[in-house]
């Protein structure tokens, strides 16, 4: 696969993983196929302290794929930290995050990027909204967490936990960083005075293995974070419109 510009990609696809050895190569192949028509992309994997064969497989894949970057945490720091590492180390103007277990379909990445760009400078986030979620228990947990979060934050997003999100790298780096940030991006994007566009995406079963990140993650551990984001949103700052004064 030939990219038009390895040095300055238009899009960085950020994939946080922990102990996903069986899922790495199939997902990389799907991302490559989905992004083939994008004018310059890279794939940024962040190994969040894996103890399986993930480090070896990613090292070997890097030798064959010049558009693949890999960062590794010495110990697991959580999904939000892995996303932060990936976005910070990315080279693209835009970033798209995707879960590393195969449940998010990379085919939706170009649609998210197109929706973000079509929205213009006033849109800060294109957020995937999952349809056909797999597993009754997970579906009920997600609905409960999203209902509580939506009622408190009123961020206009019914599924903030979907891993498929697209945003300008510079916008993300302006957001306050804390654990579980990835689940509260809609509210924080609105705090910046930016809008959100939503794209329906199809949920599917993970390729192999079991989930390596917790349920919140889904609700009870996140209640303190939820109230912190509520406080931040209420203290939304005025975004200055800056114009440099030139000499006559």
């Amino acid at each position: 696969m030939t990219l038009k510009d390895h040095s300055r990609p238009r899009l960085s696809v950020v994939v946080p993983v922990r102990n996903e050895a069986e899922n790495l190569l199939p997902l990389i192949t799907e991302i490559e196929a989905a992004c083939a028509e994008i004018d310059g992309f890279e794939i940024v994997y962040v190994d969040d302290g894996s103890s399986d064969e993930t480090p070896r497989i990613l090292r070997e894949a890097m030798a064959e794929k010049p558009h693949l970057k890999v960062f590794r945490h010495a110990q697991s720091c959580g999904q939000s930290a892995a996303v932060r590492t990936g976005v910070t180390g990315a080279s693209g103007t835009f970033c798209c995050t995707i879960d590393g277990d195969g449940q998010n379909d990379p085919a939706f990445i170009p649609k998210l990027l197109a929706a973000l760009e079509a929205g213009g400078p006033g849109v800060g986030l294109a957020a995937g909204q999952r349809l056909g979620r797999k597993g009754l228990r997970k579906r009920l947990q997600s609905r409960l967490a999203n209902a509580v979060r939506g009622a408190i934050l009123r961020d206009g997003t019914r599924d903030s936990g979907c891993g498929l999100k697209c945003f300008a790298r510079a916008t993300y780096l302006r957001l306050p960083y804390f654990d579980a940030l990835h689940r509260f991006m809609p509210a924080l994007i609105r705090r910046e005075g930016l809008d959100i566009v939503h794209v329906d995406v199809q949920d599917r079963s993970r390729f192999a293995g079991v989930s390596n990140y917790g349920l919140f993650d889904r609700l009870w551990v996140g209640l303190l974070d939820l109230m912190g984001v509520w406080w931040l949103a209420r203290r939304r700052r005025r975004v200055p419109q800056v114009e440099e004064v030139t000499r006559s």
Side-chain angles (χ1 to χ4, degrees):
M1 180 172 297
T2 301
L3 299 183
K4 295 182 179 180
D5 186 352
H6 292 307
S7 61
R8 297 184 61 82
R10 178 177 167 212
L11 178 70
S12 299
V13 180
V14 176
V15 193
V17 291
R18 180 159 66 94
N19 295 335
E20 296 284 3
E22 296 176 90
N23 300 323
L24 300 172
L25 297 181
L27 185 59
I28 289 172
T29 299
E30 286 194 340
I31 294 172
E32 290 172 332
C35 296
E37 300 306 315
I38 294 175
D39 186 13
F41 74 91
E42 65 178 4
I43 305 172
V44 183
Y45 263 77
V46 181
D47 173 10
D48 185 32
S50 294
S51 57
D52 65 355
E53 290 297 299
T54 292
R56 177 187 63 79
I57 294 171
L58 287 175
R59 279 196 303 270
E60 292 175 357
M62 284 179 64
E64 301 177 359
K65 301 177 185 295
H67 52 279
L68 176 62
K69 282 184 180 178
V70 177
F71 297 91
R72 174 167 168 76
H73 292 169
Q75 58 187 15
S76 178
C77 297
Q79 191 170 357
S80 280
V83 170
R84 178 81 175 183
T85 295
V87 175
T88 301
S91 303
T93 302
F94 301 100
C95 292
C96 186
T97 58
I98 184 170
D99 289 344
D101 55 13
Q103 288 187 274
N104 298 153
D105 189 340
F108 292 99
I109 291 174
K111 296 180 181 179
L112 287 164
L113 178 60
L116 179 68
E117 292 188 306
V123 171
L125 175 67
Q129 304 276 264
R130 289 168 290 190
L131 301 174
R133 293 219 58 194
K134 306 301 181 184
L136 177 61
R137 181 166 173 260
K138 183 178 288 188
R139 191 161 62 245
L140 292 175
Q141 289 165 341
S142 181
R143 284 180 181 174
L144 176 59
N146 277 307
V148 172
R149 176 198 47 75
I152 293 174
L153 299 182
R154 301 188 183 279
D155 57 13
T157 300
R158 68 169 172 80
D159 182 17
S160 71
C162 180
L164 279 164
K165 295 182 175 72
C166 191
F167 44 84
R169 178 176 178 272
T171 299
Y172 176 91
L173 294 176
R174 291 205 309 264
L175 303 179
Y177 172 68
F178 56 93
D179 195 25
L181 163 63
H182 66 289
R183 293 192 178 277
F184 296 107
M185 276 192 69
L188 295 174
I189 288 290
R190 289 193 183 281
R191 178 178 179 268
E192 295 292 316
L194 298 170
D195 291 329
I196 303 163
V197 292
H198 300 97
V199 176
D200 286 339
V201 301
Q202 194 65 40
D203 192 48
R204 60 185 187 179
S205 299
R206 65 165 29 247
F207 289 151
V210 297
S211 177
N212 293 292
Y213 288 114
L215 300 178
F216 199 116
D217 261 75
R218 278 194 179 80
L219 180 57
W220 308 117
V221 175
L223 283 175
L224 187 59
D225 288 329
L226 178 62
M227 298 314 298
V229 174
W230 173 83
W231 180 84
L232 280 171
R234 284 175 61 88
R235 294 182 61 83
R236 172 180 167 182
R237 64 183 185 272
R238 185 187 298 273
V239 179
Q241 301 297 313
V242 180
E243 178 182 355
E244 183 178 359
V245 178
T246 59
R247 292 184 175 87
S248 333

